[in-house]
Amino acid sequence: MAPEPINLNTIDDLLKDVIQHLYAIQSSVHGYLGPETQQELVRKIKALTASLATLSRSAAALPVLVPPEIIAYVEEGRNPDIYTREFVELVQRGNAYVRGKSEALAGFRDALAEEVGAEWPECEGWVRGVVGGR
């Protein structure tokens, strides 16, 4: 049987396993009684290590591409939600700028078409065809 494809649900389950191992280690450390509980603690740490290794291998095979800018943002200790908000605001400003240019050019086109039509009446049909009947 073929191995199960890696998806976010698989990674989620592996993360839950890691958290469970951490909780078990926390409980063992809290109830540590010396040499009689040492082997159990070592076993739990080895299980955590194996779980982290499995998670690392599985996550590397996950086909999710994160932009390097976001990775750098998080590594600097910043919130990726703020990056997203700033990016959306930047796109909105860019869209407003382009929309303004488009409206200005449309106004220039209409003014030019009106002037050309007034100056050369024989070209008025051609001008209307270019402008689109405006």
Side-chain angles (χ1 to χ4, degrees):
M1 184 171 180
E4 180 182 328
I6 301 300
N7 58 33
L8 289 177
N9 290 333
T10 304
I11 299 299
D12 188 45
D13 291 340
L14 292 171
L15 280 171
K16 288 176 184 175
D17 288 344
V18 168
I19 292 169
Q20 183 60 41
H21 288 299
L22 287 170
Y23 180 75
I25 290 171
Q26 177 190 10
S27 297
S28 293
V29 167
H30 183 70
Y32 187 72
L33 299 173
E36 56 269 6
T37 57
Q38 182 176 358
Q39 288 303 319
E40 182 64 20
L41 183 58
V42 168
R43 185 188 64 73
K44 289 179 180 179
I45 291 173
K46 286 181 180 179
L48 172 64
T49 305
S51 183
L52 285 169
T54 303
L55 175 63
S56 179
R57 281 191 306 274
S58 298
L62 190 64
V64 174
L65 301 175
V66 178
E69 297 86 14
I70 293 178
I71 293 172
Y73 208 82
V74 171
E75 286 177 348
E76 292 171 2
R78 300 171 76 186
N79 186 343
D81 291 337
I82 294 172
Y83 176 87
T84 303
R85 184 182 66 224
E86 290 173 352
F87 182 77
V88 167
E89 290 171 355
L90 179 67
V91 169
Q92 287 173 338
R93 279 194 303 273
N95 286 347
Y97 176 74
V98 170
R99 183 175 51 249
K101 284 181 84 171
S102 177
E103 289 171 357
L105 286 173
F108 175 72
R109 177 202 61 214
D110 294 344
L112 181 62
E114 185 178 315
E115 290 296 321
V116 168
E119 192 66 34
W120 295 291
E122 66 274 7
C123 295
E124 191 170 335
W126 178 79
V127 169
R128 262 197 310 268
V130 170
V131 173
R134 292 176 200 247

